[in-house]
């Protein structure tokens, strides 16, 4: 991908005849739903009818696999980066879906968000063709990695929030103190808890810590657990407590809490840009989230020096979402000359121009 002003070619696995072959236990394959098109000859009425309650086709791509031994296998999805943070959707088909009388829908998964996840493939038959169709959820554009494996990696594709922990989160200054309780029956199935933190604008989670299942002095399970995390950047965060199975190390989200962190020190919520054009020049101004390459604001105007030389752009709403790096692009709409200004939130809570 070259950026918001670049040009792209279609990906190689845009149609089913050129779908990437997933070889068992090979390394992850990198792929992207950006600049793919729907192959309507294969997404026919029969297939749409079977999946319409699950997903909508928009910018799909194809993968295929075959095994020599029947059994259980896994599709592992990792390193998702999505333009709109909506994630991907997927179907797994036994047989060729382009041949309407010769296929079966094995899985239809409406949404897989940004965490590393796996899809369990039960009862895969030897010497049969299977096809995987992956699309951006609600038209999102995503890059990701995919692997066909005998071992699962990450979380099950559907988070099940058991809501059994009574998780609480207290924010004191920069510190977030998490506490939860759990039953002895649940602890008997677990080896440890993993605690993850994710920021609203960044779907990838950070592992905050691991806490092993513990026994108290009288030999029974400890019922209360806690951990403290420290935040550095304002924004909205999600904390998840994940249980790791003692039997096969699979993971499951047990509870989650949402918090908002606003540092007490003031942040200037404006970007100041000096523009120099001849009066009467038609100018377009874009505000872009640099990390996700997404346009946040867009405006056009006829430049007048006294009025437009000093642009003040409000970015407080984006700072609240944890976005701290911006591009401001001004374009002369007659000559199409572009000027790019890069800003980031500095340690002293000011939006500063980055000179490269």
């Amino acid at each position: 991908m070259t950026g918001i002003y670049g040009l792209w070619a279609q990906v190689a696995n845009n149609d089913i005849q050129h779908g990437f072959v997933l070889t068992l236990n090979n390394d992850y394959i990198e792929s992207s739903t950006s600049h793919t098109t729907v192959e309507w000859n294969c997404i026919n009425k029969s297939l749409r009818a079977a999946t319409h309650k699950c997903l909508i086709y928009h910018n799909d791509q194809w993968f295929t696999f075959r095994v020599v031994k029947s059994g259980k296998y896994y599709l592992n999805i990792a390193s998702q980066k999505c333009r709109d943070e909506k994630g991907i959707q997927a179907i797994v088909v036994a047989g060729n879906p382009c041949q309407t009388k010769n296929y079966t829908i094995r899985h239809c998964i409406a949404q897989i968000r940004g965490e590393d996840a796996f899809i369990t493939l039960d009862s895969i038959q030897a010497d049969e063709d299977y096809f995987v169709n992956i699309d951006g959820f609600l038209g999102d554009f995503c890059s990701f990695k995919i692997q066909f494996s005998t071992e699962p990696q990450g979380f099950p594709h559907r988070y099940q929030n058991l809501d059994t922990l009574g998780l609480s989160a207290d924010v004191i200054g920069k510190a977030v103190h998490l506490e939860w309780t759990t039953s002895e029956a649940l602890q008997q199935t677990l080896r440890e808890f993993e605690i993850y933190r994710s920021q609203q604008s960044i779907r990838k989670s950070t592992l905050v810590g691991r806490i092993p299942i513990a026994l108290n002095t009288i030999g029974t399970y400890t019922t209360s657990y806690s951990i403290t995390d420290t935040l550095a950047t304002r924004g909205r965060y999600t904390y998840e407590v994940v249980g790791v199975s003692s039997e096969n190390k699979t993971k499951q989200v047990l509870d989650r809490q949402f918090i908002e962190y606003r540092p007490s020190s003031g942040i200037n919520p404006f970007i100041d840009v000096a523009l120099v054009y001849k009066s009467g020049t038609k100018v377009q101004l874009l505000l872009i989230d640099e990390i996700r390459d997404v346009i946040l604001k867009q405006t056009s105007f006829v430049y007048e020096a006294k009025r437009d030389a000093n642009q003040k752009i409000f970015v407080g709403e984006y700072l609240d979402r944890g976005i701290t790096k911006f591009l401001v692009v001004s374009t002369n709409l007659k000559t199409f000359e572009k000027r790019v200004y890069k800003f980031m939130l500095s340690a002293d809570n000011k939006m500063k121009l980055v000179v490269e």
Side-chain angles (χ1 to χ4, degrees):
M1 190 178 300
T2 62
I4 62 171
Y5 300 111
L7 297 174
W8 296 262
Q10 289 183 344
V11 297
N13 54 329
N14 188 53
D15 59 77
I16 195 168
Q17 297 303 321
H18 300 95
F20 285 158
V21 177
L22 300 175
T23 304
L24 187 63
N25 292 329
N26 267 16
D27 292 338
Y28 280 87
I29 292 175
E30 295 186 14
S31 193
S32 172
T33 67
S34 296
H35 304 278
T36 59
T37 56
V38 177
E39 188 181 10
W40 292 113
N41 289 335
C42 289
I43 307 298
N44 45 51
K45 289 183 179 180
S46 179
L47 186 59
R48 292 202 300 273
T51 59
H52 78 281
K53 291 184 178 180
C54 172
L55 48 82
I56 299 173
Y57 299 94
H58 177 265
N59 47 313
D60 68 343
Q61 57 192 283
W62 292 94
F63 303 86
T64 183
F65 65 86
R66 169 184 279 245
V67 298
V68 296
K69 181 180 179 181
S70 299
K72 179 188 290 188
Y73 298 89
Y74 302 90
L75 283 177
N76 297 322
I77 309 293
S79 303
Q80 270 197 65
K81 294 181 181 179
C82 297
R83 182 193 65 182
D84 301 326
E85 302 176 11
K86 294 176 183 177
I88 63 172
Q89 59 192 32
I91 58 172
V92 180
V93 181
N96 191 330
C98 297
Q99 301 170 11
T100 58
K101 297 181 180 180
N102 189 33
Y103 73 86
T104 303
I105 303 294
R106 295 294 304 270
H107 294 275
C108 188
I109 299 167
Q111 187 179 29
I112 302 175
R113 295 298 291 267
E115 300 295 345
D116 293 353
F118 64 86
I119 302 169
T120 301
L121 306 174
D122 287 311
S123 303
I124 296 297
Q125 299 301 307
D127 300 320
E128 290 190 11
D129 290 321
Y130 292 85
F131 293 88
V132 181
N133 180 285
I134 292 184
D135 206 330
F137 180 73
L138 294 179
D140 203 353
F141 293 94
C142 300
S143 62
F144 61 94
K145 296 180 180 180
I146 185 170
Q147 179 194 48
F148 180 47
S149 178
T150 54
E151 297 292 335
Q153 300 291 332
F155 297 101
H157 74 269
R158 286 177 180 165
Y159 285 179
Q160 182 182 6
N161 189 342
L162 301 181
D163 196 24
T164 57
L165 300 184
L167 178 64
S168 65
D170 294 319
V171 183
I172 304 173
K174 295 183 178 182
V176 180
H177 185 67
L178 303 170
E179 292 185 351
W180 65 95
T181 58
T182 186
S183 68
E184 181 173 343
L186 178 60
Q187 290 183 92
Q188 288 175 349
T189 68
L190 302 177
R191 59 180 295 173
E192 64 181 358
F193 296 107
E194 292 182 346
I195 298 84
Y196 291 86
R197 176 190 69 235
S198 61
Q199 196 170 352
Q200 182 172 342
S201 61
I202 305 172
R203 289 302 307 168
K204 186 70 174 179
S205 291
T206 298
L207 177 63
V208 174
R210 293 184 173 92
I211 299 180
I213 299 299
L215 297 175
N216 57 30
T217 55
I218 60 174
T220 59
Y221 286 100
T222 299
T223 57
S224 298
Y225 294 84
S226 65
I227 192 170
T228 299
D229 186 32
T230 302
L231 298 177
T233 306
R234 68 186 281 138
R236 295 183 177 93
Y237 293 84
T238 301
Y239 283 91
E240 294 182 323
V241 178
V242 173
V244 181
S245 168
S246 56
E247 181 178 352
N248 54 15
K249 298 183 182 180
T250 57
K251 301 178 182 181
Q252 187 172 44
V253 177
L254 301 176
D255 210 339
R256 58 171 60 92
Q257 273 286 330
F258 305 94
I259 67 108
E260 186 166 350
Y261 172 55
R262 294 177 177 269
S264 57
S265 55
I267 292 180
N268 180 3
F270 290 93
I271 285 176
D272 294 301
V273 183
L275 298 182
V276 180
Y277 291 98
K278 290 183 179 180
S279 291
T281 302
K282 191 171 183 181
V283 177
Q284 180 191 66
L285 205 61
L286 301 179
L287 176 69
I288 299 172
D289 174 355
E290 183 188 7
I291 300 300
R292 294 190 300 135
D293 201 16
V294 173
I295 297 175
L296 304 173
K297 290 182 180 180
Q298 177 176 337
T299 185
S300 299
F301 53 90
V302 177
Y303 181 85
E304 292 183 11
K306 291 183 178 180
R307 182 191 64 195
D308 301 316
N310 297 309
Q311 293 287 320
K312 188 177 285 290
I313 304 172
F314 180 71
V315 295
E317 60 192 289
Y318 307 115
L319 292 171
D320 284 344
R321 287 157 49 186
I323 300 172
T324 60
K325 294 183 178 181
F326 303 88
L327 298 178
V328 176
V329 180
S330 67
T331 305
N332 182 325
L333 292 179
K334 182 178 180 180
T335 65
F336 294 100
E337 175 197 10
K338 290 182 173 65
R339 302 172 185 174
V340 180
Y341 308 86
K342 182 176 181 178
F343 291 86
M344 66 181 297
L345 187 66
S346 63
D348 57 356
N349 287 333
K350 295 181 180 179
M351 296 305 307
K352 290 190 175 181
L353 178 65
V354 178
V355 179
E356 297 181 334

